Amino acid sequence: MENYQELVQKQKSFFRSGKTKETAFRKQALTTIKEYMTSHQQDIIDAVKADLNKPEEETNRAEIGLVLAEIDFMLENLDTWSATQEVPTPKTHGEAKSFIQPEPYGSTLVISPWNYPVQLAVAPLVGAIAAGNTAVLKPSELTPNTSSLLAGMINENFKEEYIHVVEGEVETSTALLKENFDYIFFTGSTGVGRIVAEAAAKTLTPTTLELGGKSPAIVHKDADLDQAAARIAGGKFMNAGQTCVAPDYVLAHSDVKEALMQKIKEVKTNTYGDVVPADTYPHVVSGKHFDRLKNFLDNGELYMGGRTDKENLFIEPTLLDQITWEDDVMQDEIFGPILPVLTFDEVSEAVEAVMDRPKPLALYLFTKDEEVQNDVFTNISFGGGAINDTINHMTTHYLPFGGVGNSGMGAYHGKASFDTFTHFKSVLKR
Ligand code: NAD
């Protein structure tokens, strides 16, 4: 196992030099990343295609476009957010003045997953840099082409004492987690999140944990079913269901279940054709995940899809009917293009069923009824979500993105990213 003590020491010394506290220096770093991503757009598309068979349009939107928008937002606001703010002082404190002084934590560690291998590595890094930290990034070993591209982008353009990419597998993460970073930002599974939290507890290092979970899409009987079908299928089947905020399962009112499933099937046919082509649809990331997902195809009754091809790590967008909470597919996050459908008769039943389980990362509700919207969104705790849509709550930098409970802690995107990587120091001056 490698020892990263020297790297972290170098970053700590560089941080102490005060250079990263200069906002012009941070802006220059963000601009360098922006320019690299813009001028290497095709390389990024090719790397993500080689790793996941992700279509160009999806990489442009969800990997490159989103990160560039995040960088622009930081460049626009960084000066304001970094400035010390004066706040009122109670009369009891006499003539004193009070300030909130934002300061970067120092040396940060970002560990990222494979499913959006550019976005989920670079977006947190952008937050760390904007807030004035140094950073070590450990991308996922399951997307080696993208990880190596990220290593090139960072290690050829920045000194290792400022920002550095370390490629490697679990042992690399384990070794990095032994170091005394000032902040850890982890995106990945709930199980590994626990390992990261335990490691961070030893040094009392603050962490953000962006984890997963089973995110429901609840479809009430008054929902616009064409809209619900299109948006659920869109959110679920993009990237072969390997999206942390993809609807994991559908809870449909029993009056509309049949019609909804029929419409999802139509959306699938209109989007991909009668037979989904294995060569253009995104791959499942590995043989291990393929085998895990394939086992779910025996659950309930197959309503749509179900074709698989191990050689191409291909699983067709699939809809499973007659599913119960006891089925294997309902025990853990699916993270693949398989959508089970369950039913409810009363909204309270759906609310109770979701609340009986760990808090989801996302929740989607399709209904026009504002009382139902209120009821569901007030009673159920979840990371974030959408009414009459899926996924898009995470693509705006005005909404903090993160989980709660088993789906994570802390949030990022836009101002929330800056705040996550910043300690707000309170100062009273007399
Ligand atoms: P993962 O937890 O297996 O791996 C994530 C990262 O942790 C990788 O870099 C990996 O090398 C490292 N890692 C793996 N095992 C480790 C260990 N024992 N000790 C230390 N580090 C370890 O997750 P994944 O399979 O890459 O990604 C899928 C999961 O991530 C899903 O659960 C998904 O919901 C979640 N996810 C969450 C978000 C979010 O923003 N909340 C986004 C994407 C994915």
Side-chain angles (χ1 to χ4, degrees), residues 112-115 120 138 141 173 188-189 210-212 244 333 401:
S112 60
W114 49 265
N115 59 327
L120 298 176
K138 208 299 277 173
E141 66 280 16
S173 274
S189 57
E210 295 284 343
L211 312 177
C244 56
E333 181 184 19
F401 173 71

Side-chain angles (χ1 to χ4, degrees), residues 214 248-249 293 295-297 299-300 320 323-334 338-342:
K214 288 186 90 61
D248 186 272
Y249 62 96
L293 291 165
N295 285 334
F296 296 147
L297 297 176
N299 289 191
L320 296 176
I323 292 295
T324 69
W325 291 103
E326 285 67 45
D327 283 317
D328 289 346
V329 75
M330 292 310 296
Q331 304 317 307
D332 289 308
E333 181 184 19
I334 299 168
I338 299 171
L339 185 61
V341 182
L342 296 96

Side-chain angles (χ1 to χ4, degrees), residues 300-346:
E301 280 175 20
L302 198 61
Y303 184 89
M304 171 191 103
R307 271 192 320 124
T308 63
D309 168 3
K310 183 151 187 182
E311 202 182 317
N312 287 307
L313 297 176
F314 166 78
I315 298 182
E316 193 179 12
T318 295
L319 208 46
L320 296 176
D321 195 5
Q322 306 301 328
I323 292 295
T324 69
W325 291 103
E326 285 67 45
D327 283 317
D328 289 346
V329 75
M330 292 310 296
Q331 304 317 307
D332 289 308
E333 181 184 19
I334 299 168
F335 223 58
I338 299 171
L339 185 61
V341 182
L342 296 96
T343 56
F344 66 90
D345 291 311
E346 300 293 334

Side-chain angles (χ1 to χ4, degrees), residues 110-327:
V110 174
I111 301 178
S112 60
W114 49 265
N115 59 327
Y116 286 81
V118 178
Q119 184 209 132
L120 298 176
V122 186
L125 194 64
V126 164
I129 296 169
N133 299 278
T134 65
V136 173
L137 166 65
K138 208 299 277 173
S140 173
E141 66 280 16
L142 294 182
T143 40
N145 294 285
T146 311
S147 295
S148 132
L149 179 134
L150 293 174
M153 169 170 93
I154 298 299
N155 298 351
E156 285 163 26
N157 287 294
F158 297 95
K159 293 194 173 147
E160 71 170 359
E161 66 248 39
Y162 178 31
I163 318 172
H164 195 67
V165 172
V166 175
E167 289 183 86
E169 307 197 3
V170 176
E171 307 79 64
T172 307
S173 274
T174 310
L176 284 166
L177 287 169
K178 287 196 179 6
E179 298 305 327
N180 195 356
F181 285 95
D182 296 302
Y183 201 93
I184 299 173
F185 189 105
F186 171 80
T187 306
S189 57
T190 300
V192 179
R194 274 195 197 99
I195 295 173
V196 172
E198 271 180 37
K202 294 208 174 81
T203 44
L204 285 182
T205 304
T207 50
T208 294
L209 300 175
E210 295 284 343
L211 312 177
K214 288 186 90 61
S215 302
I218 302 174
V219 183
H220 197 33
K221 59 184 171 189
D222 70 329
D224 175 335
L225 294 184
D226 288 311
Q227 185 189 71
R231 293 177 184 175
I232 290 171
K236 177 72 180 188
F237 298 129
M238 74 181 281
N239 205 29
Q242 302 169 118
T243 304
C244 56
V245 287
D248 186 272
Y249 62 96
V250 172
L251 258 178
H253 191 282
S254 50
D255 287 359
V256 296
K257 181 196 81 164
E258 226 20 78
L260 178 72
M261 290 181 85
Q262 182 55 40
K263 285 179 189 295
I264 291 179
K265 200 171 176 177
E266 284 163 22
V267 173
K268 179 221 144 197
T269 309
N270 293 339
T271 311
Y272 304 105
D274 275 332
V275 178
V276 181
D279 55 339
T280 53
Y281 192 64
H283 295 155
V284 170
V285 72
S286 67
K288 191 175 129 207
H289 282 286
F290 177 92
D291 293 339
R292 179 181 64 79
L293 291 165
K294 191 159 184 272
N295 285 334
F296 296 147
L297 297 176
D298 298 334
N299 289 191
E301 280 175 20
L302 198 61
Y303 184 89
M304 171 191 103
R307 271 192 320 124
T308 63
D309 168 3
K310 183 151 187 182
E311 202 182 317
N312 287 307
L313 297 176
F314 166 78
I315 298 182
E316 193 179 12
T318 295
L319 208 46
L320 296 176
D321 195 5
Q322 306 301 328
I323 292 295
T324 69
W325 291 103
E326 285 67 45
D327 283 317

